Amino acid sequence: MKKVFLVLVMVMTCLVVNVKAMTESELKTKIANGFVIAGETIKPSEYQLQELERYLNKYDVSETDADFISGKIDEIINLAKEKNVKSFTDLSSDDKAKVVAIVSEISSKTSVKVTLTKNGVLTIYESDGKTPFTEIKDKDITKQTGTNNIIFIVASVISLCGICYVARKAIKENA
């Protein structure tokens, strides 16, 4: 009887598929390590990693959700590798639409509520799905840095006055 039980346990052990779910920390490590595309490792910025850490400290992401998100990240990376692009902004409009749809699927099938616009703004929401938690922009998007056009105009006027003064002085000396 003991031998039959032992054989049964051994057979069950061999037949059981070893399924390992991804934890939050494994998902974070996967993202932090970056991805190799066209021979270059693309990694998130320090700010993006801090935002990821802040989100994971505030909200729990189940192993099922982490597995799903990891799979969708792989889909996006495979698309980038296939198209040989290193930035969201380098994708064609059709490929951008595919990535936006993948991110939308993450939002609809997991507890992580997130949207991605076609211009590369990834918005992660609080648990209510309405209040923005953070916005992450593609690093290649040109953005307004808060400069004021008045400063440019004043600097131009001062430069023009300086040029006129130097030109007038040069004309007097040569006359």
Side-chain angles (χ1 to χ4, degrees):
M1 182 72 170
K2 287 182 184 181
K3 287 182 183 181
V4 172
F5 182 70
L6 182 60
V7 170
L8 184 61
V9 168
M10 289 179 67
V11 168
M12 293 298 288
T13 303
C14 292
L15 293 177
V16 172
V17 178
N18 189 8
V19 177
K20 184 178 182 306
M22 181 169 277
T23 64
E24 280 184 1
S25 63
E26 290 171 333
L27 180 62
K28 180 184 168 205
T29 301
K30 177 180 181 170
I31 293 169
N33 287 340
F35 306 93
V36 178
I37 300 174
E40 184 179 335
T41 302
I42 309 299
K43 289 186 175 188
S45 69
E46 195 61 38
Y47 167 75
Q48 293 168 340
L49 289 175
Q50 288 171 354
E51 289 300 288
L52 175 62
E53 181 72 31
R54 191 169 69 95
Y55 185 86
L56 293 176
N57 285 338
K58 187 170 183 179
Y59 297 108
D60 287 327
V61 176
S62 71
E63 291 178 346
T64 304
D65 287 352
D67 279 340
F68 187 81
I69 293 168
S70 175
K72 293 302 172 181
I73 289 172
D74 290 341
E75 281 183 42
I76 293 169
I77 297 304
N78 288 336
L79 178 66
K81 286 179 179 178
E82 177 184 312
K83 302 300 179 179
N84 201 27
V85 296
K86 300 173 188 163
S87 172
F88 180 78
T89 54
D90 294 337
L91 289 169
S92 69
S93 59
D94 288 342
D95 292 331
K96 285 180 184 178
K98 288 177 188 176
V99 174
V100 167
I102 291 170
V103 171
S104 178
E105 191 175 358
I106 289 171
S107 187
S108 67
K109 294 187 178 182
T110 69
S111 64
V112 179
K113 301 306 171 204
V114 62
T115 59
L116 177 66
T117 61
K118 286 193 178 186
N119 62 355
V121 179
L122 179 72
T123 305
I124 302 171
Y125 295 94
E126 299 282 351
S127 61
D128 65 4
K130 297 176 185 172
T131 309
F133 179 82
T134 189
E135 282 188 357
I136 298 174
K137 297 179 179 158
D138 190 326
K139 68 177 180 172
D140 294 328
I141 293 176
T142 305
K143 46 190 161 191
Q144 177 71 16
T145 59
T147 58
N148 194 339
N149 290 335
I150 293 174
I151 295 170
F152 176 72
I153 292 169
V154 170
S156 297
V157 169
I158 291 171
S159 296
L160 185 60
C161 290
I163 290 169
C164 289
Y165 174 75
V166 169
R168 215 167 108 200
K169 193 170 185 176
I171 290 172
K172 275 187 181 181
E173 287 182 14
N174 290 332

